[in-house]
Amino acid sequence: MDAGIREFVRNRAFRLCEYCRMPDEFDPLPFCIDHIISQQHHGPTAESNLALSCFNCNSYKGPNIAGIDPETGLLTRLFHPRVDEWSDHFEWDGPRLLGTSPVGRTTIDVLNINDPERLEHRGHLIEEQVFPPPNR
Ligand SMILES: [Zn+2]
């Protein structure tokens, strides 16, 4: 992937993880350019299939494109940052991210967004009043 497309994806996302909205400047781990539909499922390396992702979200997502909604037990697709509106699927409860739809709940579960270490990190950023970022 060339540097130009990486920079385009970073800037389009305002340098926030497009899943958990962590700003890259506050994360010690390097952010990744995520294939929303993974290459294993023939997702192209095209702007319409790329998203900025923190290392944690990207690692847990892996090649997954779906999961099991923890509330209903039903097979459910993951959040698609190019198609879905973030605020239609997620809301904050302090440092904890809540899924307000099946897609939101499933994405939080598969990407392990409320892992205790991640909650603690977001809690510190909230105390410093630099998180969550404004909705755009
Ligand atoms: Zn993330």
Side-chain angles (χ1 to χ4, degrees):
M1 200 185 307
D2 70 54
I5 199 166
R6 289 176 169 276
E7 197 55 23
F8 172 83
V9 171
R10 268 192 209 100
N11 289 332
R12 180 176 59 185
F14 302 102
R15 300 185 174 259
L16 306 176
C17 174
E18 296 193 67
Y19 298 99
C20 75
R21 299 186 58 90
M22 178 59 62
D24 66 354
E25 63 183 313
F26 300 133
D27 199 316
L29 298 169
F31 275 27
C32 312
I33 306 297
D34 169 54
H35 283 76
I36 300 166
I37 303 300
S38 58
Q39 292 174 291
Q40 182 173 341
H41 299 293
H42 312 294
T45 301
E47 290 167 3
S48 59
N49 189 47
L50 297 174
L52 187 63
S53 174
C54 72
F55 183 85
N56 280 310
C57 284
N58 193 249
S59 299
Y60 285 106
K61 183 169 176 278
N64 290 301
I65 55 175
I68 302 296
D69 179 351
E71 199 168 297
T72 64
L74 296 174
L75 178 64
T76 304
R77 70 175 176 87
L78 297 182
F79 177 72
H80 192 306
R82 299 280 72 77
V83 172
D84 299 319
E85 197 65 48
W86 193 88
S87 56
D88 288 345
H89 299 279
F90 304 103
E91 66 181 34
W92 292 110
D93 177 16
R96 181 173 292 275
L97 190 60
L98 303 178
T100 57
S101 71
V103 164
R105 290 191 298 266
T106 302
T107 301
I108 290 167
D109 191 58
V110 173
L111 276 52
N112 203 16
I113 288 174
N114 290 323
D115 174 77
E117 285 187 19
R118 298 173 76 180
L119 285 176
E120 191 182 338
H121 183 218
R122 290 196 293 265
H124 290 309
L125 296 177
I126 289 169
E127 283 172 22
E128 294 167 26
Q129 299 184 331
V130 293
F131 192 86
N135 281 321
R136 292 188 235 228

